[in-house]
Amino acid sequence: MFDLRPPVYDFSLSERTGANSHAILLHSALHLFNAARWSSTVERGKCALRRESWRLMDLGLIPPSQVRGRRYGGIQSVAISQICGSMNRSNDFDRCFHPLSDRLRGRWTNIAIARSQAVPLPPVSLVQVGCCYFVEDGHHRISVARALGESAIDAEVTVWEVSGRLPWEAQLPLQSVLQPA
């Protein structure tokens, strides 16, 4: 059968120096991006076969009247598998944070290059609703971290207290949201 896993790319430059190092980093970042785009296609097909949603949940579907309160949750290390939605970019990434469009390539590869050079990046901004986290800022950083095989990311968290049934609870079971295949 076909191997559907994307290839793993080496970002280390320990033996590489000189003018070609940036070109090598860019080439590796582009390969990683293309592998993530391919994975989005595969994930979409698998979800179609299982009759599951491949989309990120949209925090904007919660009516403002349902939000009882908000509080600062601080800087935390959050498992990437618990990030299951977006505040405003649900159409740019799938539920596994694979990029859905080639127009995301530039920013995505710049972040991948920065990560490969150990450039410190700010924590992502997340909104916590129950056990799910929604991205306010940092979609590309989460996507790159996931593509690099990381399991957690530093985040500045705001916790929302919400009353009533959440709009996506009727759409799909929580297990399929928190643990995408």
Side-chain angles (χ1 to χ4, degrees), residues 31-127:
H31 275 291
L32 190 63
F33 176 82
N34 290 334
R37 285 280 289 127
W38 170 249
S39 294
S40 73
T41 302
V42 172
E43 182 65 24
R44 187 180 259 185
K46 290 187 326 189
C47 286
L49 290 172
R50 292 188 303 245
R51 299 182 190 266
E52 294 176 350
S53 176
W54 52 269
R55 295 186 174 274
L56 281 173
M57 294 188 294
D58 186 359
L59 188 62
L61 294 176
I62 298 177
S65 60
Q66 247 184 297
V67 180
R68 292 189 323 231
R70 302 166 196 221
R71 64 179 167 78
Y72 182 67
I75 303 287
Q76 305 173 20
S77 180
V78 175
I80 293 174
S81 63
Q82 287 186 288
I83 304 172
C84 45
S86 174
M87 192 167 220
N88 55 7
R89 306 278 305 263
S90 297
N91 294 323
D92 288 342
F93 299 89
D94 69 10
R95 69 183 188 154
C96 296
F97 279 89
H98 300 125
L100 295 175
S101 170
D102 286 339
R103 70 179 171 72
L104 304 173
R105 180 185 296 122
R107 175 97 174 113
W108 201 99
T109 55
N110 286 340
I111 289 172
I113 290 169
R115 293 291 308 275
S116 70
Q117 294 178 318
V119 173
L121 298 174
V124 298
S125 297
L126 301 178
V127 173

